[in-house]
Amino acid sequence: MKNNRQTMILDIIAKENVETQEQLLEHLRQRGITSTQATISRDIKQLHLVKEPAGHGAYKYAVSNTRARLNVADKLRTIFHESITSVESAQNIVVFKTLSGLAGGACEALDHMDVNGMLGTLAGENTVFVVMKDTASAETFCQEIREML
């Protein structure tokens, strides 16, 4: 029920200029979903909704840009975590082995992570090369990944 309600909220704010929680409750009621103001308030917080200018001094609920970035980052981290089979370092190079065909996804995830000292990545079929700034940052990164796996 919560997922359906939150999906409906996202659909409503994408199609309508909703300025208040009361308006949002009314839109939900029109679609057959009854809720309370407290529940809607929690949904707004969980969905990371913000109010943005709608023109003529009015405001409307919208999805925060931060939320969109966080969702992508979370998905990429999941892909990364699920695809890595091993990690080793050689001087300033970190080498990841992945399940066959998943190196590209793991590399994309790495490119979107804020990795201290990472200069660049390169993916093959089941191998990812990460060029780090120096040997120390490569070893540190390698250890962090091992702990994550």
Side-chain angles (χ1 to χ4, degrees):
M1 176 125 166
K2 176 182 172 181
N3 287 338
N4 290 340
R5 184 181 62 249
Q6 288 186 350
T7 299
M8 187 67 66
I9 289 171
L10 293 173
D11 183 58
I12 290 167
I13 67 168
K15 295 176 180 173
E16 307 283 338
N17 284 347
V18 178
E19 217 173 325
T20 66
Q21 292 181 8
E22 291 77 22
Q23 288 175 342
L24 189 53
L25 279 167
E26 182 57 32
H27 282 287
L28 287 169
R29 277 190 213 105
Q30 291 172 2
R31 289 168 172 79
I33 297 176
T34 57
S35 191
T36 66
Q37 185 275 329
T39 299
I40 296 304
S41 182
R42 279 191 298 275
D43 288 339
I44 288 169
K45 183 179 271 188
Q46 289 173 353
L47 292 169
H48 302 279
L49 300 183
V50 296
K51 284 196 171 182
E52 67 179 22
H56 306 293
Y59 287 84
K60 66 177 184 173
Y61 281 108
V63 176
S64 163
N65 288 335
T66 302
R67 177 182 185 262
R69 286 193 306 270
L70 288 173
N71 284 345
V72 170
D74 286 344
K75 288 177 185 176
L76 289 172
R77 280 188 172 84
T78 299
I79 291 168
F80 180 74
H81 183 266
E82 296 296 322
S83 65
I84 299 298
T85 59
S86 70
V87 59
E88 296 293 332
S89 65
Q91 295 181 5
N92 71 321
I93 306 287
V94 176
V95 179
F96 292 96
K97 289 295 187 177
T98 70
L99 298 173
S100 186
L102 297 181
C107 197
E108 179 71 9
L110 281 167
D111 288 342
H112 286 86
M113 292 180 190
D114 185 23
V115 179
N116 191 28
M118 186 173 77
L119 301 177
T121 61
L122 179 66
E125 178 71 15
N126 66 347
T127 305
V128 174
F129 289 98
V130 181
V131 178
M132 302 297 290
K133 187 176 180 177
D134 53 37
T135 301
S137 60
E139 290 170 357
T140 300
F141 181 52
C142 209
Q143 184 58 40
E144 289 170 358
I145 296 301
R146 282 192 192 106
E147 290 171 7
M148 186 177 90
L149 299 177

